[in-house]
């Protein structure tokens, strides 16, 4: 039995799994993953929380479905002749998706239930390395190194406690009492960030170092 939602003109639109997942993502994007509960999501959709069980098995099924939707946003450059270029595009796309949905990176690393979109993501990544000629042991290490860089860098960027506009003022205040004589290189590092905006982070810089190193190892193997 389908659940219907009222429209502004009084008509009702059937509630389905797609709309439930979309509403869950919107709620998580706006208020964080902790805000997502069956009751809260039911309120957002204008139905009783129990009505959602017609479309998701339980909360874990809801979260897994939401995460699979995020995987659908990631570009999968299949058939690329250059493994490095294809892997780079996929990694940048995944990193961007995690930043677009700040709750998703931590859930991605914690969830072991793989939906169709995540399975395609993993299969495409592994196949690209295999077809490039990576031997099994190196392929395994290469795959995990790339994936750890994507999720780790996203989690670090999302958890950084200062907004870009706060960095300069807080950094300058901190340096006034910082024991620069005892820790001169740390002080120099802080000053560098204050006067060279955009020099920190470097997801793509690190990614390129990884890919360059893997290419050398692939060629040697």
């Amino acid at each position: 039995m389908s659940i219907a939602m009222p429209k502004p003109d009084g008509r009702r639109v059937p509630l389905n799994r797609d709309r439930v997942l979309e509403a869950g993502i919107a709620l998580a994007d706006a208020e964080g993953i902790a805000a997502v509960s069956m009751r809260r999501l039911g309120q957002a959709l204008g139905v009783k929380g129990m009505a959602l069980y017609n479309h998701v098995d339980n909360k874990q099924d809801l979260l897994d479905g939401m995460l699979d939707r995020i995987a659908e946003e990631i570009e999968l450059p299949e058939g690329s002749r250059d493994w490095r270029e294809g892997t780079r595009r996929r990694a940048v796309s995944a990193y961007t998706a995690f930043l677009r949905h700040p709750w998703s990176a931590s859930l991605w690393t914690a969830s072991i239930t793989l939906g169709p979109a995540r399975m395609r993501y993993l299969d495409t990544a592994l196949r690209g390395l295999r077809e490039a000629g990576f031997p099994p042991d190196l392929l395994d290490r290469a795959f995990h190194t790339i994936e750890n860089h994507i999720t780790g860098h996203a989690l670090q960027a999302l958890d950084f406690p200062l907004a870009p506009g706060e960095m300069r003022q807080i950094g300058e205040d901190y340096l006034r009492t910082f024991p620069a004589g005892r820790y001169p290189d740390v002080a120099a590092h802080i000053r560098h960030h204050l006067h060279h905006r955009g020099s920190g982070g470097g997801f793509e810089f690190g990614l390129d170092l990884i890919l360059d190193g893997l290419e050398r190892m692939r060629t040697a193997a």
Side-chain angles (χ1 to χ4, degrees), residues 43-204:
Q43 292 176 345
L45 287 166
V47 300
K48 297 286 187 180
M50 290 299 295
L52 302 179
Y53 289 100
N54 291 314
H55 310 286
V56 293
D57 295 337
N58 47 45
K59 184 178 178 181
Q60 189 59 54
D61 184 39
L62 169 68
L63 297 178
D64 290 338
M66 291 165 53
L67 198 58
D68 215 47
R69 284 300 185 88
I70 304 307
E72 291 177 356
E73 298 181 14
I74 300 173
E75 178 188 7
L76 301 180
E78 300 185 61
S80 175
R81 294 184 178 181
D82 182 351
W83 78 269
R84 189 187 183 286
E85 188 271 339
T87 300
R88 191 182 197 281
R89 284 167 55 193
R90 176 182 58 80
V92 171
S93 181
Y95 178 70
T96 302
F98 291 149
L99 295 189
R100 189 162 54 242
H101 305 283
W103 53 272
S104 61
S106 59
L107 195 60
W108 186 278
T109 61
S111 174
I112 59 173
T113 303
L114 304 177
R118 288 190 73 190
M119 289 293 285
R120 285 194 300 273
Y121 172 91
L122 295 173
D123 199 64
T124 300
L126 292 165
R127 184 169 63 255
L129 295 173
R130 176 181 58 79
E131 292 179 346
F134 281 82
D137 287 345
L138 181 57
L139 186 155
D140 183 72
R141 285 179 289 167
F143 169 75
H144 287 293
T145 298
I146 294 166
E147 296 307 302
N148 289 342
H149 180 69
I150 297 169
T151 54
H153 210 286
L155 289 170
Q156 182 183 50
L158 292 166
D159 288 342
F160 190 71
L162 300 178
E166 298 176 310
M167 174 71 79
R168 188 174 188 87
Q169 184 59 54
I170 292 177
E172 290 175 347
D173 291 344
Y174 185 67
L175 282 174
R176 292 190 183 96
T177 59
F178 184 79
R182 187 180 306 170
Y183 308 108
D185 289 290
V186 176
H189 182 73
I190 295 172
R191 292 191 186 97
H192 178 83
H193 278 281
L194 294 181
H195 296 97
H196 297 82
R197 293 186 180 182
S199 62
F203 170 75
E204 294 186 30

